[in-house]
Amino acid sequence: MRNDFVYRGRAVSAQDIEFIGQLIAAHPALSRRRLSARLCAAWNWMQPNGQPRDMVARSLMLELHRAGHIQLPAQRFCPPNNATRHRAPACPVASTRAPLECSLAQLGPLEIQPVRRTAAEPIFDRVLEAHHYLGYTRPVGEHLKYLIFAQGQPVAALAWSSAPRHLGPRDRFIGWSAAQRRAGLHLIAYNTRFLIMPWVRVPHLASHLLGRVARQIAADWQALYEHPVCLLETFIDPERFAGTCYRAANWVYLGLTTGRGKNDHTNRPNRSLKELWVYPLRRDFRRHLGVPDHA
């Protein structure tokens, strides 16, 4: 393996791989899950909230195993396939109903509920699977989920997760170095899904919700993960959407992605280009990301 191999922001050397092999050999009775926990402890590989990066360590070990660099013990438990498990679930919100058409003022009070690690989280998952064109994918790492209620029913859902590691337009906009990016990436939240229920037709609702959520997401992230976020970002497929609600909510367009994806090794586009939009949550966001503000 190359000496400059990097996995999820951590450089992995030949000595590291040898250490993992020795860890496995020293604990032949441990499961893959327990081995990954041992690796996190040995490397002090922790999330900003102090929890071990167990899933990241497990994925690294699996990748090394598949590449023939280590030999993991036989898999003892086969988790259900996420895509299969969440495909076409029974949704508590009817897929067809009378349109809800009114002005934003007529819609009445909006209740924005963070539902991560609550009894309402399965409702969020099922609503996205049933009504979002990309369906629902279980996030890895830090993430938040919001359900928005009006008139006693869900009218929208927003999902946020950890930010992608390398985004050229974003990184140039921030002006940070690779080391600063590794240290501050957890302070960026990525809007992975935004759904207005298909029967809801309320002008300006989408941009209004983006603004409302932006005002509370830093505190919500702090409450769940013990650190805030100070910059929001999202991708927009220009072949499907014009980004009108993000523009109306004062998000900033930074440019197009390269279309290569996070695991590309060919430097050639392998997917459609996406627009990258960001929204600073505070004027001094660069300073909080470890970068002096631009003059």
Side-chain angles (χ1 to χ4, degrees):
M1 174 168 289
R2 302 176 307 179
N3 291 333
D4 61 348
F5 176 73
V6 176
Y7 186 81
R8 297 296 294 269
R10 190 190 197 285
V12 182
S13 66
Q15 291 76 18
D16 290 328
I17 297 171
E18 182 180 0
F19 174 83
I20 296 174
Q22 292 172 350
L23 178 70
I24 296 170
H27 304 282
L30 293 186
S31 65
R32 294 182 178 187
R33 180 169 186 165
R34 291 187 178 277
L35 285 169
S36 66
R38 293 268 183 142
L39 182 61
C40 288
W43 283 0
N44 194 30
W45 208 359
M46 302 293 173
Q47 302 177 45
N49 65 353
Q51 295 299 310
R53 296 187 181 275
D54 180 63
M55 289 300 298
V56 177
R58 208 178 313 172
S59 297
L60 168 63
M61 295 174 75
L62 183 59
E63 183 167 312
L64 293 173
H65 170 79
R66 288 171 174 170
H69 298 294
I70 63 173
Q71 183 64 46
L72 287 172
Q75 191 172 9
R76 300 181 184 179
F77 171 71
C78 183
N81 180 275
N82 188 56
T84 302
R85 182 181 178 184
H86 294 283
R87 183 171 291 125
C91 182
V93 182
S95 58
T96 58
R97 60 167 61 202
L100 176 57
E101 298 186 72
C102 62
S103 69
L104 186 59
Q106 291 168 336
L107 185 61
L110 293 167
E111 183 181 358
I112 301 176
Q113 290 188 8
V115 297
R116 178 83 172 99
R117 297 178 182 172
T118 73
E121 186 170 8
I123 299 176
F124 176 98
D125 301 347
R126 293 166 186 160
V127 162
L128 239 63
E129 178 63 30
H131 301 297
H132 196 282
Y133 78 102
L134 292 175
Y136 172 74
T137 301
R138 187 181 299 276
V140 175
E142 298 180 352
H143 58 284
L144 285 182
K145 303 173 180 178
Y146 291 95
L147 276 176
I148 294 86
F149 292 85
Q151 300 184 14
Q153 62 174 299
V155 295
L158 291 94
W160 304 81
S161 72
S162 304
R165 293 188 298 281
H166 304 290
L167 291 175
R170 176 202 64 198
D171 296 340
R172 290 189 291 271
F173 172 74
I174 295 172
W176 57 9
S177 65
Q180 289 168 334
R181 183 182 66 238
R182 288 192 294 270
L185 191 62
H186 66 289
L187 300 176
I188 301 177
Y190 163 39
N191 180 206
T192 58
R193 298 286 191 272
F194 188 6
L195 170 71
I196 302 293
M197 300 305 176
W199 56 85
V200 175
R201 301 168 189 172
V202 179
H204 313 301
L205 175 61
S207 58
H208 177 77
L209 290 178
L210 285 172
R212 289 276 301 272
V213 171
R215 289 194 287 273
Q216 73 177 72
I217 190 171
D220 292 338
W221 212 284
Q222 174 76 49
L224 194 60
Y225 294 111
E226 300 181 8
H227 70 83
V229 290
C230 58
L231 183 69
L232 308 178
E233 66 185 21
T234 196
F235 296 127
I236 294 175
D237 185 347
E239 296 180 0
R240 282 181 170 268
F241 305 105
T244 304
C245 65
Y246 289 91
R247 187 178 293 107
N250 296 318
W251 284 55
V252 180
Y253 170 66
L254 297 186
L256 293 172
T257 63
T258 61
R260 296 201 300 264
K262 65 180 181 179
N263 295 318
D264 171 68
H265 299 291
T266 66
N267 292 323
R268 296 178 181 177
N270 53 33
R271 62 197 66 194
S272 62
L273 303 184
K274 304 295 193 301
E275 294 180 351
L276 175 61
W277 293 71
V278 300
Y279 184 84
L281 293 178
R282 49 191 308 155
R283 292 181 179 179
D284 59 349
F285 72 95
R286 289 188 179 89
R287 181 173 64 83
H288 285 266
L289 292 173
V291 182
D293 281 332
H294 293 180

